[in-house]
Amino acid sequence: MSTEFEQVRSKRLAQLRSAMARAGIDAFVVPSSDPHLSEYLPGHWKGREWLSGFTGSVGTFIATANFAGVWTDGRYWTQAETELAGSEIALMKIPGAASQMHVDWLAANLAAGQTVAVDARVLGLAGARLLSDALSAKGIALRTDIDLLYEVWQDRPALPADPVFEHLPPYATMSRADKLAATRAAMEQHGAGFHVISTLDDIAYLFNLRGADVSFNPVFLAHALIGRADATLFVGEGKVPAEVRARLESDGVHLAPYANAATALSALPDGATLLLDPRRVTAGMRAAVAQGVNVVEAINPTTFAKSRKLDSEAVNVRAAMEQDGAALCEFFSWLEAELANGARAPLDEVAIDTHITAARARRPNFISPSFSTIAGFNSNGAIMHYRAAQETCATIEGDALLLIDSGGQYLGGTTDITRVIPVGTPSEAQKRDYTLVLKGLINLSATRFPRGTRSPMLDAIARAPIWAAGIDYGHGTGHGVGYFLNVHEGPQTISPAVPPDPHTAMEPGMITSIEPGIYRPGRWGIRIENLVLNRVVDNTEFGEYLGFETLTLCPIDTRPLDRSLLREDEIAWLNAYHATVRARLEPIVAGAARDWLIERTEAI
Amino acid sequence: MSTEFEQVRSKRLAQLRSAMARAGIDAFVVPSSDPHLSEYLPGHWKGREWLSGFTGSVGTFIATANFAGVWTDGRYWTQAETELAGSEIALMKIPGAASQMHVDWLAANLAAGQTVAVDARVLGLAGARLLSDALSAKGIALRTDIDLLYEVWQDRPALPADPVFEHLPPYATMSRADKLAATRAAMEQHGAGFHVISTLDDIAYLFNLRGADVSFNPVFLAHALIGRADATLFVGEGKVPAEVRARLESDGVHLAPYANAATALSALPDGATLLLDPRRVTAGMRAAVAQGVNVVEAINPTTFAKSRKLDSEAVNVRAAMEQDGAALCEFFSWLEAELANGARAPLDEVAIDTHITAARARRPNFISPSFSTIAGFNSNGAIMHYRAAQETCATIEGDALLLIDSGGQYLGGTTDITRVIPVGTPSEAQKRDYTLVLKGLINLSATRFPRGTRSPMLDAIARAPIWAAGIDYGHGTGHGVGYFLNVHEGPQTISPAVPPDPHTAMEPGMITSIEPGIYRPGRWGIRIENLVLNRVVDNTEFGEYLGFETLTLCPIDTRPLDRSLLREDEIAWLNAYHATVRARLEPIVAGAARDWLIERTEAI
């Protein structure tokens, strides 16, 4: 980081501490969060990044009078070390399964009678309870009614004002009216006449609306309050075009100003029953609920509903995957030609981002990338969530591995894929790592399991072949993926860090990533990622069994493989996958891209 | 069940309900528990069995004025159906991971203002809190100060009075003084000057004492209170011989009457800090603690310590496994000869129990079986915790599979092994199931994993080959095993039903069973079980890696295998295992047993 930025960062921290002192706050906490508990945040809510300089998508900032730190997990350690270097801000490493570590730190390092502050408007209700319990047990006070950033952050970005648009048939395959009816049926099961939703993907799903308020996630800032007969969408004025507004009205959906959501909760009638999800609304929203209201806590019905893609949605996803795969054939054939010819201009990681997005943009129904492309060359590949920037990025030259993790938002689905290609001649050690990662991918891809299996319990199946070599990776094996929605969605997660609670159960129609990896800091990083669809593949006296249909269609480079490490059944899996990729993509690619497809899908 | 027993059972239930009515109790709960939260109970505490007739080792009985039921998990359903048949007592099936189902039932089926009673003396503190929270949320009262069994159970067995003996070198490889010092060091880390222990295996481990108060577990009824300089063992008068008492005194361990433990807690000095394990002391013990005492809750230090066997203990376990394996060679060679010759007297499941125990008893240092032998022929093999009884047991004849699950307590270790042998000609379907179970065993046995991996996360690795065929089993894959102690011990458990909390982490020295199975009710049951030792097998830039050393030494019958279903690496594992078994056992068996060993360890 530059000296100039270092001075800015020091000054911000000093200003924050002055504000803390004035307000009588001993520790100030800034989570990576917004009023919708989003993963990707509008600039307005990137307070942790503004204060610390750490740009990773997950991390909690805490400052006291004589300490400042950012807590983050293994995916971000290398990045955070770089970004925090030169500052007084400590990197606090969260190992796999201990996401409450910063809470423990507060409880251990503050004294009874001191005060912790965090803004209730961006603090999840479930997290707020853990924090409150831990602090009150030590006699530490918690204030959630104060936003110190308001005082110190002068040039804070405004809330985004992008327009909202409808997700229409044939891509939206279930009507808004039907989704509202299904949600109300679930509300009835809880005896609830009202249901408040703050999570942006739940809202986008339920109303068949999309937006562009957040990078990569096609969502818009809103809260929703569903009643038995009508519903209110709290959204920035002017964002919803008149014709969409009219269509919403005809489905009994009224618009109200974005800022009025909390007020509406405080105006609910005495004796009403309100359903809310403590992990998906903020402490601030919960506090707004009128006293006489009976609150029922349960996971949002839409969170389950949107995770289980309809057959009609799966048809669209398969078509989107074909277009995505075709775009990748064009991109990779171009990239390899550039590398083989000795690129005219030096080819760097940023150029890869540009070209891969351009290839996708030539395909029908493409909207945007689904996340920031990760193109990591050699040691940059070991930075798990590396994002190439013009000033720091590596030039692709010499013998190495190039990791490319990218994805697209299409009207008919969301993609997310990681491939690694060799540049020059990979070493034997690189080939071994690459082959082990592929074994992990195959081992889980080929697994069948009882319907209802808790998704975290499947994690070890992908790791086992990698563990066998004394290697592990510091992230989960897979995350849920939305349907033209967030590239990370729940409720299923294939990760040892997630408690295998009932809501993590695997159900038909879910789309999940499988993405094992091996990262050797300072040397290279390897990850291979496909998206898979849960399908019922067997029905026996022991119940229904699910298997994975691999949705992602793109060759897995066979050149860095050490074939001697593969079993016959693994080779058969890979060859069958490549036969499918070739059959599905060949009709929609041409020229050099087609030649590349044929070559890269040869059986081994 | 006989009509006579049915009348007895009805009468007991009627008497209980009369007592409930007199005491104003609307629901009476009898857990499978005692003041030590033991798995195997002295007769005095078998109230649930006495009331319901269900003899399984896990189950909760609840009676109201118009309902009676037993909640139990999948291992016991078939058995409970048989044993509860003809009564009004309902079998309430607990699926895999929902052990609090009876609590939910109480909360749902009682009305506000009604009263639930359960004896605090046998109710775990952690469970008591869950129960109390669930009931108070519904306005249901909970009384824990009443034992209705005291009124209705006239011929209740007395507490056992068996003598206590010392576990001595070379089998006890760490002195009592050293164990007390290590426990006190752990107490210091919690800032605790006192530590109360109620769990019998923790007490037996810590004091290097053993007893015979409970079938199969070499423990004795006691509580212990450890101070910084001395310790008190609360144990029935006359149970500890004078010379052992003197040796205890020389280590600063004083004896006190068994009934005085709670009183001692109420007499702790003001300001003292007491360490206790909420999952390993009862609500009654917690309630006895004096008001001015600061209570620190954490897992018993001895629970961790005893789970991690010392190298010197592992040496003794290997020797015990050799003797156990030799006994099994003698038993199986006799059994197969009997079956081949057409047994003179009809050979039944009870006879198997008798003969297998006799074979073990001929071996040095054998003390007792480590649990009730399970010998299940054909459909009885599908009853997961089947215990053959003279009046119901099957005669071994015709084509079938015979499942034998047995184990021994030796001064140098505890064994637990399941094997299945074919009687006559197994069917193709039986061979397929048998082979799948073996694949599950091998898959997990061959796994390496990072030190600290949460044991429940390994469960799916054993299941994967069985799931692949649309089959599952309704029990965990593995449990911890003691060292001349309980055959079931924690803290590690390889099970999807156990939350993967930090204390479930795999550490070097732990001994765990691996025992996948397939059960087809009314047809056959298959389970293959070995004990394995966690050993450090690799140390890389990613940390320490553990692997399993298979401790159990006994051929796995290869006759029911469908070799075509086995991969080359699986065949190699099996042949290597059999080579080890032959090499280790051949020197200590002779005659027919030796011939059997050689034949059954032939490579396939």
Side-chain angles (χ1 to χ4, degrees), chain A residues 201-280:
Chain A
D201 58 343
D202 281 307
I203 292 171
Y205 163 82
L206 177 57
F207 295 101
N208 282 345
L209 297 175
R210 297 293 188 270
D213 286 352
V214 181
S215 300
F216 312 117
N217 290 345
V219 297
F220 56 98
L221 298 189
H223 299 277
L225 182 62
I226 321 298
R228 283 202 170 94
D230 54 6
T232 307
L233 192 60
F234 301 91
V235 59
E237 286 185 76
K239 289 172 73 92
V240 180
E243 69 276 15
V244 176
R245 182 174 191 140
R247 288 167 54 84
L248 286 166
E249 281 290 345
S250 74
D251 284 329
V253 180
H254 317 300
L255 299 191
Y258 176 67
N260 287 11
T263 316
L265 292 179
S266 63
L268 285 174
D270 249 28
T273 296
L274 173 69
L275 172 67
L276 62 77
D277 184 338
R279 295 202 269 198
R280 289 177 178 82

Side-chain angles (χ1 to χ4, degrees), chain B residues 236-257:
Chain B
E237 286 183 76
K239 288 172 72 91
V240 180
E243 69 278 14
V244 177
R245 182 175 192 139
R247 289 168 53 85
L248 287 165
E249 282 288 346
S250 74
D251 284 329
V253 180
H254 317 299
L255 299 190

